[in-house]
Amino acid sequence: MSSVEAHQEQLSQSDPSPSPNSCSSFELIDMDAGSLYEPVSPHWFYCKIIDSKETWIPFNSEDSQQLEEAYGSGKDCRGRVVPTDGGRYDVHLGERMRYAVYWDELASEVRRCTWFYKGDKDNKYVPYSESFSRVLEETYMLAVTLDEWKKKLESPSREIIILHNPKLMVHYQPIAGSDEWGSTPTEQGRPRTVKRGVENISVDIHCGEPLQIDHLVFIVHGIGPACDLRFRSIVQCVNDFRSVSLNLLQTHFKKAQENQQMGRVEFLPVNWHSPLHSTGVDVDLQRITLPSINRLRHFTNDTILDVFFYNSPTYCQTIVDTVASEMNRIYTLFLQRNPDFKGGVSIAGHSLGSLILFDILTNQKDSLGDIDSEKDSPNIVMDHGDTANLEEDLKKLQLSEFFNIFEKEKVDKEALALCTDRDLQEMGIPLGPRKKIINYFKSRRNLLVSVKYPRLIYKPEIFFAFGSPIGMFLTVRGLKRIDPNYKFPTCKGFFNIYHPFDPVAYRIEPMVAPGVEFEPMLIPHHKGRKRMHLGKSIKLELREGLTRMSMDLKNNLLGSLRMAWKSFTRAPYPALQAETAEEAEAEPESSLEQASDVSTEETCAAGKGELPPVNVGMLNRGQRIDYVLQEKPIESFNEYLFALQSHLCYWESEDTVLLVLKEIYQTQGIFLDQPLQ
């Protein structure tokens, strides 16, 4: 007896027609009842846990077709592996599981889907299991062929599915609290719509990505495990960055695509937070963490402390080792999976991630074969304000009278740092001065912590920094200016990209040309126009309107709390003024905050090069380094309100992604269809 006959024998009675009220909730399928049966077209889905619930997501059309071809090839599915999602995931067909290739991620269930029902609390459709879908399809085939409907089936989870006719198929949940005597379930409650074939459900199925990969970009995250306001991981945020890039390639590089000159850029995430916090440091921190305000303290330990970890020699070594080894590992694996890849590699870092990459790049060697390195490059090529010669050092120590002795012995600063107490004694240096000299050079060696930076096994073409604190960290480290002639040993390009209200971002160019005041380059809008910048009168009017609106809301909604507020703090206004004054003092430190006061025309003039050219050194091949995004009109009303959002805006910023694509493809002689103004 077939599975269909078994189901129908168990539920042989016909189901009465549903009431008119229940019919109103059904979604109808346009199908000729007398049409001949045609097999259903399957589509492959995978299951992701989103917000603690299962969500079934369709593979793109090309991946689904490849999976179906592998499934229908007649070969044993066990051991069959099908690359999907541009090669970033592998589907193990026999296991029906999807695994990430380049990073750690929970495996996802994969399903060949033909029949669906509408979910509980949303309008998303859920696929039936493959085995039960075959039962449904067999039942449907018999019903169409014999024109016999009102077929009732019971799913393995005791749900009832009724095929009333080609236009009406419904799904009932099992009755809660039914008896345990195995009685036949009956339909009850509001029915759910059942659909046959993915073409009859509302779901976005994307086209596949171009097979050709022109360039590879590694993206390193900043502090903490979450990278945006939705607390998403670096993998999810880079997925957004990649999706935006694919859309922009379609809209801004049409000619190159039509001429088959280009494929796509692959962006891959690099995670260092998890390895750092798996060293046992979290357990040590937990022992000393106070029990109060638990969530805030956990957030601090898991996020903000990453900055302090990077300034610790021990954990700095762990972080740079992790980032460099991960990029090398992923690069090697990428080449194994893409043996025909001939493109270049670039790197990008967000927030603290950009500083990590900057330190790694400054400590590379010109030759990839030179493995051993110490943190000496910045001291050689950059002005740390500590390039005094031996005579000046001795003057600091009030030991100038011994300079002639060292000069006679041809002992320079480096040689003196290597001298032992006995060496100095043999040169006739008394005990007191000997102790001063030895202690001085010992303290200098302690300052230059022996962090050994690993070698990258490739030479990055461009380094992109998003919302980067590099300038601030270099200044805090005592670096007063960057030598205009300095450039990364192995990387030719450097772009410092930031939002004007990003509180973590700092400029780089003023460190190269400290005596010159000039604006950063304004990044064009991706649609080839400027964002709507309002005149001062209109802006003032809107601000006053928003202020009045907020005052009305405060008076109406918070009036009842006024007395309580007064009891908590008798003089709130001086405190607010003090806070504002402090923030106002901080603003002149960065020319970014002045962008809103500068007219659009002046800023664009700087971007168009109408002002005299500025020497910004060789960090970016003599080209400009600092690039500022245009704020949205609403952001200009309150910079502080949008500050945190501004630091996390880069993942979905079309303007940022387009600048990255433009600079990458320019190195290959491929340009935008139309230059952006």
Side-chain angles (χ1 to χ4, degrees):
M1 181 181 294
S2 70
S3 58
V4 176
E5 292 170 344
H7 278 284
Q8 293 181 4
E9 184 174 328
Q10 180 183 359
L11 302 169
S12 57
Q13 69 273 22
S14 297
D15 177 66
S17 299
S19 65
N21 291 334
S22 64
C23 284
S24 63
S25 66
F26 300 152
E27 295 186 11
L28 306 183
I29 302 176
D30 293 329
M31 183 182 294
D32 183 2
S35 63
L36 296 176
Y37 168 79
E38 292 184 3
V40 65
S41 297
H43 195 92
W44 291 75
F45 282 65
Y46 62 93
C47 183
K48 294 281 287 184
I49 305 299
I50 301 176
D51 297 331
S52 301
K53 67 177 182 179
E54 292 185 351
T55 301
W56 286 90
I57 302 171
F59 284 95
N60 66 56
S61 54
E62 290 185 8
D63 287 345
S64 180
Q65 183 178 349
Q66 284 191 1
L67 289 166
E68 185 63 20
E69 289 175 357
Y71 171 83
S73 64
K75 299 178 182 178
D76 188 357
C77 287
R78 288 177 296 182
R80 288 295 299 273
V81 177
V82 180
T84 62
D85 302 271
R88 296 180 296 275
Y89 289 87
D90 281 341
V91 170
H92 292 232
L93 208 57
E95 299 177 26
R96 292 293 198 273
M97 297 297 288
R98 172 179 177 263
Y99 296 93
V101 172
Y102 298 107
W103 55 82
D104 291 331
E105 182 180 309
L106 290 175
S108 304
E109 181 185 350
V110 172
R111 189 173 291 179
R112 182 178 183 264
C113 304
T114 52
W115 285 76
F116 308 83
Y117 65 93
K118 187 170 286 188
D120 267 336
K121 299 177 181 178
D122 52 31
N123 292 324
K124 293 182 179 178
Y125 281 87
V126 179
Y128 289 104
S129 68
E130 292 186 37
S131 58
F132 189 64
S133 291
R134 285 193 292 270
V135 173
L136 285 168
E137 185 64 18
E138 290 174 10
T139 306
Y140 178 85
M141 178 184 67
L142 290 175
V144 171
T145 304
L146 303 176
D147 197 20
E148 295 179 359
W149 293 94
K150 296 187 179 179
K151 304 292 185 182
K152 182 184 292 186
L153 297 91
E154 179 183 346
S155 74
S157 55
R158 304 204 54 159
E159 296 164 326
I160 299 298
I161 295 89
I162 303 175
L163 309 184
H164 289 287
N165 55 57
K167 297 181 180 180
L168 184 59
M169 297 179 283
V170 294
H171 172 122
Y172 291 94
Q173 288 286 87
I175 301 172
S178 59
D179 60 63
E180 300 178 358
W181 296 96
S183 59
T184 303
T186 58
E187 59 275 11
Q188 180 172 318
R190 182 172 180 174
R192 302 184 194 175
T193 305
V194 174
K195 294 286 189 180
R196 175 180 179 265
V198 71
E199 65 274 7
N200 290 311
I201 67 173
S202 177
V203 63
D204 291 330
I205 299 177
H206 301 285
C207 298
E209 302 173 16
L211 295 177
Q212 176 184 326
I213 300 176
D214 304 319
H215 202 87
L216 175 63
V217 180
F218 295 117
I219 302 185
V220 180
H221 65 83
I223 62 173
C227 296
D228 67 359
L229 290 176
R230 286 172 279 176
F231 296 96
R232 296 185 305 163
S233 68
I234 180 64
V235 172
Q236 294 170 302
C237 290
V238 172
N239 285 345
D240 273 352
F241 202 90
R242 187 187 307 108
S243 296
V244 172
S245 76
L246 291 172
N247 292 334
L248 290 173
L249 289 177
Q250 295 289 331
T251 56
H252 289 72
F253 293 88
K254 291 181 180 178
K255 294 179 182 177
Q257 289 201 332
E258 290 172 358
N259 297 331
Q260 297 183 338
Q261 292 178 282
M262 64 189 305
R264 64 182 176 92
V265 176
E266 179 62 284
F267 297 92
L268 296 178
V270 177
N271 178 18
W272 56 265
H273 180 270
S274 299
L276 170 67
H277 288 262
S278 64
T279 59
V281 66
D282 287 355
V283 176
D284 297 336
L285 284 172
Q286 190 59 39
R287 286 201 299 265
I288 60 174
T289 300
L290 301 183
S292 59
I293 52 173
N294 182 55
R295 291 185 179 180
L296 180 57
R297 294 187 193 277
H298 175 75
F299 173 80
T300 300
N301 289 351
D302 202 36
T303 303
I304 299 176
L305 287 189
D306 284 351
V307 178
F308 298 97
F309 284 138
Y310 190 65
N311 285 321
S312 158
T314 302
Y315 294 108
C316 177
Q317 188 70 64
T318 300
I319 292 171
V320 296
D321 283 347
T322 300
V323 171
S325 62
E326 269 295 281
M327 291 195 294
N328 286 342
R329 179 190 67 83
I330 296 173
Y331 179 69
T332 301
L333 181 57
F334 178 83
L335 291 183
Q336 291 173 358
R337 295 175 62 90
N338 300 272
D340 297 329
F341 176 71
K342 305 298 182 185
V345 183
S346 293
I347 57 179
H350 176 242
S351 190
L352 183 63
S354 65
L355 177 66
I356 297 168
L357 292 177
F358 183 89
D359 287 341
I360 290 175
L361 286 178
T362 56
N363 288 278
Q364 297 297 295
K365 295 293 184 181
D366 289 320
S367 171
L368 293 180
D370 191 347
I371 302 300
D372 296 326
S373 171
E374 299 210 359
K375 190 178 178 181
D376 53 3
S377 296
N379 303 319
I380 296 173
V381 296
M382 294 185 178
D383 177 9
H384 280 264
D386 190 22
T387 58
N389 56 31
L390 178 58
E391 186 175 9
E392 292 172 343
D393 281 342
L394 292 173
K395 189 175 181 180
K396 284 182 187 177
L397 298 172
Q398 298 181 345
L399 300 175
S400 299
E401 65 268 25
F402 299 105
F403 176 70
N404 291 334
I405 297 176
F406 294 128
E407 189 176 37
K408 180 181 178 181
E409 296 289 339
K410 296 184 179 180
V411 175
D412 59 10
K413 188 172 181 176
E414 292 182 9
L416 184 57
L418 300 173
C419 288
T420 65
D421 182 78
R422 184 166 183 173
D423 294 330
L424 296 175
Q425 187 177 5
E426 290 177 353
M427 283 186 277
I429 308 298
L431 177 62
R434 291 203 309 267
K435 295 297 183 185
K436 279 187 177 182
I437 292 171
I438 291 173
N439 183 65
Y440 174 73
F441 283 100
K442 182 179 178 181
S443 63
R444 279 182 50 81
R445 283 194 297 269
N446 290 337
L447 286 174
L448 299 175
V449 179
S450 57
V451 175
K452 292 191 175 182
Y453 287 87
R455 300 277 60 74
L456 299 178
I457 58 177
Y458 54 86
K459 292 186 177 182
E461 293 191 5
I462 306 175
F463 168 35
F464 299 98
F466 306 139
S468 173
I470 291 173
M472 181 270 290
F473 270 87
L474 294 180
T475 301
V476 170
R477 290 173 181 176
L479 188 143
K480 296 181 178 179
R481 62 184 294 268
I482 299 174
D483 189 330
N485 295 320
Y486 175 70
K487 55 186 177 182
F488 295 123
T490 60
C491 182
K492 298 177 181 178
F494 177 33
F495 290 84
N496 182 38
I497 302 168
Y498 56 88
H499 190 283
F501 303 150
D502 187 337
V504 179
Y506 289 80
R507 290 191 65 182
I508 295 293
E509 291 173 339
M511 297 190 72
V512 181
V516 184
E517 292 186 6
F518 53 96
E519 294 294 326
M521 292 290 286
L522 186 70
I523 299 176
H525 191 273
H526 66 283
K527 292 187 177 178
R529 56 175 172 78
K530 302 181 185 69
R531 289 194 184 276
M532 182 185 68
H533 285 268
L534 305 175
K536 289 185 177 179
S537 60
I538 301 176
K539 189 181 292 188
L540 179 62
E541 182 180 342
L542 283 173
R543 283 187 176 180
E544 290 176 349
L546 289 173
T547 303
R548 284 197 301 271
M549 185 187 306
S550 64
M551 290 297 295
D552 291 341
L553 287 172
K554 185 184 75 171
N555 292 334
N556 292 334
L557 300 178
L558 303 180
S560 60
L561 299 178
R562 192 169 296 155
M563 294 305 295
W565 174 255
K566 287 181 180 179
S567 68
F568 285 128
T569 171
R570 296 182 180 178
Y573 295 109
L576 288 174
Q577 291 170 358
E579 180 182 354
T580 306
E582 290 175 3
E583 292 167 347
E585 289 176 5
E587 286 181 2
E589 295 179 4
S590 171
S591 62
L592 315 186
E593 303 295 336
Q594 301 170 7
S596 58
D597 297 327
V598 178
S599 69
T600 306
E601 289 76 12
E602 292 173 355
T603 310
C604 289
K608 292 180 180 178
E610 295 177 3
L611 297 178
V614 180
N615 179 14
V616 291
M618 298 305 297
L619 266 176
N620 192 24
R621 295 167 287 197
Q623 301 174 15
R624 295 294 301 272
I625 300 170
D626 293 336
Y627 285 77
V628 61
L629 292 164
Q630 301 179 51
E631 75 271 18
K632 297 176 183 177
I634 192 170
E635 292 174 342
S636 64
F637 295 134
N638 192 322
E639 301 151 22
Y640 300 100
L641 183 64
F642 292 95
L644 180 58
Q645 177 180 321
S646 298
H647 183 57
L648 305 172
C649 73
Y650 306 99
W651 307 115
E652 299 176 89
S653 165
E654 292 96 337
D655 299 350
T656 300
V657 178
L658 186 58
L659 176 62
V660 170
L661 293 175
K662 179 175 76 75
E663 296 301 329
I664 286 174
Y665 276 109
Q666 275 185 358
T667 65
Q668 302 178 20
I670 298 175
F671 302 93
L672 294 169
D673 292 336
Q674 293 181 344
L676 298 177
Q677 300 296 327

